[in-house]
Amino acid sequence: MIKFDKTIWDMAVIPKSVIRSLLTVGEASIKVYLYGLLREEGEPERIQQETGIDKTAFWEAVDELQKRGLLFLDASLGDTRMVFQNKESAVLREAEESLYKDASFNNMLQALFSDRELSYTDYKVFYELVDVYGMPRPVVLVLAEYCIGKSRTGNRVSMRYIRETAKTWAKEGIDTLELAQQKISAIHAAPGGAQDILRSLKINRLPTEQEEVLYEKWKEEWGFSHEAIHAATAATTGAQYPTFKYLDGILKNLYGAKRLSSVAVKEYFSATGQMDDTIKMLLRKLSYPRLTVSSEHRMKYLRWQEMGFGEKEMDFACACAVSAGTPSLEYMDTLLTGWKSQGLVGEADIQAYLEQQAAKKETIKKMLETAGVKKRISRGDERSYEKFSGKYGFPDAIILYAAACAYGLSAPLKAMDTILSRWKETGVHTLEEAKRQDEDFRKSHAARKRMSDIAERTYSEQELDALVKDPIANYQNIKETADKEHNI
């Protein structure tokens, strides 16, 4: 049990509810939160430097902490502050705070949104872009205008979409009007965009803001080209109702595999198609009721490939599983893992090993029958044989002869161990020498048995009297005999 010593002079008190929330956030978010507890202030660049967090991870951490209700950004006093709060006990403070004092900026924002009256929360998002993401106010205005024109809901565009778009621009270092205009021009010049991807999915409508956010993530954060995203839509044909969310999962796997170009995506799906065909062939041979290839099936297949096995070896393992009466991918996995642990990867080596194992089992079976043991071969029987042939170094002929010698005894295998151990000590190397040793042992044993029988023989009282002389009576007899001889 680990006990933590809390007797510390300098400590920071964190509510339990906050700790519970911190247990579910990423490492970067915890570092940012703890940094705020230890420091009074710090520029974003300095915080990133001291915590070892890059720019992207830093802002993602800030977003995560805000979503968890652990802090909020307050720029109402001129500089941005990270205000800590308890998620459970936090209350809305917007009613108590005044709107930002930059009336000109506020008026221009409101003009962009026309009949949609911006709330305090809406303004706070835009000031967050200025003070937290470092965007100049003119760039924020251009960004807001772009998002309104891009969204199919017009000036009802969500603040989340504006924030996500701003995050992408900030990561790209767009901090001037010129760069902002170049970015917008590049987006307009790009083929298709999110709407083109929707058409590829046979969805005839304008993209939603969430779909636009996903598309931007695929291109800007993950680095996919539009052609690569379009190529990835081919993998959605298995879905009854393909969506951007479904496509997002496919692209996430491709991103992890570092397949970002259209050529790489097509090659990946080509290889995946071949892999699925092989898996289906195995499922068919294993008599699976359904030939649907799952991600778990693919993971097994890829692991077998990483072990060094090809399709021939997998097919051979499949045949072995069927022959063993356990037709399943799980049993195939057990076989292939076991062969790999033996250093066996090629089909020829595996077959030679299995033939050797079959011959060994046949010998063990014959050994048990010769010793008079009637049962199925167990792992203990195999260990005994391996000891006789490996540790003692005897060939099968001598082992089988020892089995014949142990026939009829109460514990034949233990008797064999004793016999073979004795032959090992006396230097037996051939079957003839083993037979001579056994014959000599039996003769010696017979002689010892006769001596033992004599030693254990029982006598009557008359026989004992005849065998055991009374010393006094014997002395008197000797004296009487001497007197007679003297008188004569």
Side-chain angles (χ1 to χ4, degrees), residues 382-445:
E382 292 180 0
R383 282 194 291 267
S384 295
Y385 174 79
E386 289 165 2
K387 181 179 182 182
F388 302 156
S389 61
K391 181 179 178 181
Y392 294 161
F394 288 118
D396 290 345
I398 294 180
I399 294 173
L400 293 175
Y401 182 70
C405 294
Y407 183 86
L409 299 178
S410 58
L413 290 180
K414 288 185 178 180
M416 284 182 66
D417 195 352
T418 302
I419 293 169
L420 292 168
S421 176
R422 184 173 67 248
W423 291 352
K424 177 70 174 176
E425 291 174 0
T426 55
V428 170
H429 294 94
T430 65
L431 181 59
E432 290 71 20
E433 290 174 347
K435 289 179 178 179
R436 283 198 296 271
Q437 281 285 332
D438 180 60
E439 185 178 353
D440 292 344
F441 177 78
R442 290 179 185 276
K443 288 179 180 178
S444 174
H445 180 70

Side-chain angles (χ1 to χ4, degrees), residues 278-279 281-288 304 311-329 331-333 335-336 339:
T278 303
I279 295 173
M281 178 268 292
L282 295 173
L283 293 174
R284 190 178 295 110
K285 290 186 176 182
L286 294 169
S287 300
Y288 271 59
W304 297 339
E311 290 185 14
K312 288 173 59 179
E313 290 75 26
M314 294 181 198
D315 187 56
F316 183 69
C318 178
C320 290
V322 172
S323 177
T326 316
S328 67
L329 291 177
Y331 189 71
M332 275 184 62
D333 187 56
L335 289 175
L336 291 167
W339 294 342

Side-chain angles (χ1 to χ4, degrees), residues 72-324:
F72 67 90
L73 300 179
D74 185 1
S76 62
L77 299 178
D79 58 346
T80 301
R81 299 170 182 265
M82 289 190 184
V83 181
F84 290 85
Q85 59 183 357
N86 186 330
K87 182 179 179 182
E88 278 75 11
S89 63
V91 295
L92 295 175
R93 296 149 37 115
E94 298 169 352
E96 301 175 2
E97 298 175 354
S98 62
L99 293 175
Y100 296 115
K101 299 178 181 179
D102 193 338
S104 175
F105 182 50
N106 292 347
N107 292 335
M108 284 188 284
L109 284 171
Q110 182 60 68
L112 287 174
F113 286 86
S114 66
D115 62 337
R116 172 183 171 181
E117 186 175 351
L118 297 178
S119 67
Y120 172 81
T121 303
D122 297 334
Y123 282 117
K124 192 168 71 170
V125 170
F126 290 113
Y127 277 89
E128 178 185 323
L129 305 186
V130 173
D131 296 300
V132 178
Y133 291 95
M135 282 188 169
R137 284 171 172 75
V139 175
V140 173
L141 292 171
V142 171
L143 172 73
E145 185 177 15
Y146 163 76
C147 291
I148 292 171
K150 185 76 173 175
S151 173
R152 67 190 183 99
T153 60
N155 66 351
R156 264 58 182 176
V157 60
S158 69
M159 289 296 127
R160 181 176 181 275
Y161 176 60
I162 293 174
R163 181 187 282 113
E164 292 295 329
T165 304
K167 188 191 300 183
T168 301
W169 285 24
K171 289 176 182 176
E172 296 177 7
I174 298 173
D175 55 4
T176 66
L177 279 175
E178 182 181 3
L179 291 174
Q181 291 296 345
Q182 289 176 3
K183 172 67 177 177
I184 294 172
S185 298
I187 292 172
H188 289 319
Q195 187 170 354
D196 183 52
I197 301 301
L198 279 176
R199 283 195 293 265
S200 298
L201 298 175
K202 301 190 184 317
I203 301 174
N204 297 315
R205 58 169 173 76
L206 291 173
T208 65
E209 292 161 13
Q210 177 64 27
E211 289 166 345
E212 291 282 5
V213 169
L214 284 175
Y215 183 80
E216 289 297 318
K217 180 185 73 172
W218 299 335
K219 288 197 66 180
E220 307 301 335
E221 291 187 28
W222 289 358
F224 286 102
S225 65
H226 177 78
E227 292 75 14
I229 299 171
H230 190 278
T233 60
T236 65
T237 55
Q240 186 176 4
Y241 300 105
T243 62
F244 262 44
K245 186 175 182 181
Y246 186 85
L247 182 59
D248 185 57
I250 294 171
L251 290 169
K252 183 177 181 181
N253 291 333
L254 290 167
Y255 176 70
K258 302 187 185 306
R259 305 295 184 97
L260 305 180
S261 68
S262 61
V263 174
V265 169
K266 290 175 182 177
E267 289 177 348
Y268 177 85
F269 286 132
S270 175
T272 303
Q274 294 174 5
M275 175 176 64
D276 285 1
D277 289 341
T278 303
I279 295 173
K280 286 179 181 178
M281 178 268 292
L282 295 173
L283 293 174
R284 190 178 295 110
K285 290 186 176 182
L286 294 169
S287 300
Y288 271 59
R290 297 178 62 189
L291 301 182
T292 304
V293 178
S294 68
S295 59
E296 184 182 355
H297 296 158
R298 294 191 186 100
M299 288 175 61
K300 278 187 170 63
Y301 183 91
L302 292 173
R303 192 163 70 86
W304 297 339
Q305 279 191 327
E306 290 173 2
M307 289 181 186
F309 295 111
E311 290 185 14
K312 288 173 59 179
E313 290 75 26
M314 294 181 198
D315 187 56
F316 183 69
C318 178
C320 290
V322 172
S323 177

